[in-house]
Amino acid sequence: MPVHVRAEPGDFAESVLLPGDPLRAEYIARTFFESPRLVTRERGMLGYTGSYRGRPVSVQATGMGCPSAAIVVEELVQLGARNLLRVGTCGGYHRELQLGDLVVATAAAPQDGTVSSLTRGVPYAPAAHFDVVHAAYHAAERSGRRTFMGPVVSSDLFYDPVEDPAGLWSRLGVLAVEMEAAAIFTIAAMRGARAGCLLTVSDTIGEEVVRISDEDLRAAVDNMVELALDTLHG
Ligand code: ADE
């Protein structure tokens, strides 16, 4: 049994949704799964398994930041997970991004310590698995939701004293900032699993930071989770 995700092989489905927030994991399981079962609660990092349209699926909280996500993903793979889909929020850098938009991350620039520790500082481009990106693209297209596909940056900082310094990330075509995808993509690649990442824009970062309301965030995240389940099981 792994040290942190305390569960047995077979407790998790091969396909796992990965929100950062444990309470969002609980909400997803109770709202969208048939017959949800709590499979781990170690450190409050809740994980559930149930089914969606009759097929097994799990949801596991990663916590915040790449170090936490790296532990969780490594242990999920040890437990038999093969398809990993982060569902989270992001801060939008791209000028056209509006609050509540969906971002499908194709890659995640690793502005974090975890990926460079794993690669021993060797330059590396963490990327989502093509199969997951492809399925997410079609799920988003079917839903009609405003969707942007492209790279994001995974930062160690939520409260960054210098957001998007000199517009660097925007000029490089990076759509948004979040905090876990780079580690999830890297560990999945190292361990032969497939990973992807869907994000709802919860704040836009320009001259000033503008945040989404709680109510609009809830609706946008609900829609994203349906899309994520379609991506895994569509
Ligand atoms: N997740 C949502 N908004 C974010 C931001 N501004 N920075 C990092 N992660 C985020």
Side-chain angles (χ1 to χ4, degrees):
M1 181 180 287
V3 176
H4 307 89
V5 182
R6 295 199 65 79
E8 301 287 352
D11 279 342
F12 279 91
E14 285 197 357
S15 295
V16 186
L17 293 179
L18 300 172
D21 177 1
L23 294 182
R24 191 170 286 154
E26 180 182 36
Y27 173 78
I28 289 170
R30 290 190 193 284
T31 310
F32 297 96
F33 288 8
E34 297 133 20
S35 316
R37 176 171 74 90
L38 181 70
V39 289
T40 182
R41 57 195 291 269
E42 188 74 9
R43 293 178 184 239
M45 299 281 271
L46 305 178
Y48 291 82
T49 295
S51 56
Y52 180 73
R53 295 193 188 138
R55 291 164 65 186
V57 67
S58 297
V59 59
Q60 170 65 49
T62 61
M64 288 180 276
C66 283
S68 179
I71 293 169
V72 169
V73 168
E74 168 60 35
E75 294 186 354
L76 284 173
V77 172
Q78 289 174 17
L79 288 164
R82 291 293 170 264
N83 307 307
L84 302 157
L85 186 52
R86 166 161 158 68
V87 280
T89 57
C90 64
Y93 286 148
H94 191 278
R95 265 183 288 110
E96 284 175 33
L97 280 180
Q98 295 171 11
L99 296 175
D101 281 346
L102 181 77
V103 172
V104 178
T106 53
Q111 193 181 42
D112 75 305
T114 305
V115 173
S116 61
S117 295
L118 285 165
T119 63
R120 298 294 182 268
V122 172
Y124 173 68
H129 194 284
F130 179 77
D131 292 349
V132 184
V133 172
H134 184 254
Y137 173 78
H138 287 292
E141 204 177 38
R142 282 193 297 272
S143 83
R145 180 159 168 191
R146 257 174 70 94
T147 303
F148 292 73
M149 316 269 306
V152 299
V153 55
S154 298
S155 170
D156 276 344
L157 299 172
F158 184 88
Y159 297 104
D160 192 337
V162 192
E163 288 281 10
D164 197 5
L168 175 69
W169 292 119
S170 326
R171 279 190 285 122
L172 289 168
V174 169
L175 299 175
V177 58
E178 58 81 69
M179 300 184 69
E180 291 84 18
I184 294 170
F185 293 170
T186 303
I187 306 252
M190 291 170 78
R191 304 287 269 110
R194 302 189 289 190
C197 173
L198 304 185
L199 301 163
T200 290
V201 178
S202 60
D203 45 283
T204 49
I205 302 165
E207 304 277 282
E208 56 186 281
V209 176
V210 184
R211 273 201 70 76
I212 197 168
S213 69
D214 288 351
E215 198 186 351
D216 288 352
L217 181 63
R218 201 166 309 118
V221 168
D222 276 7
N223 177 264
M224 175 176 65
V225 171
E226 281 170 10
L227 245 141
L229 288 163
D230 276 356
T231 298
L232 292 173
H233 285 335

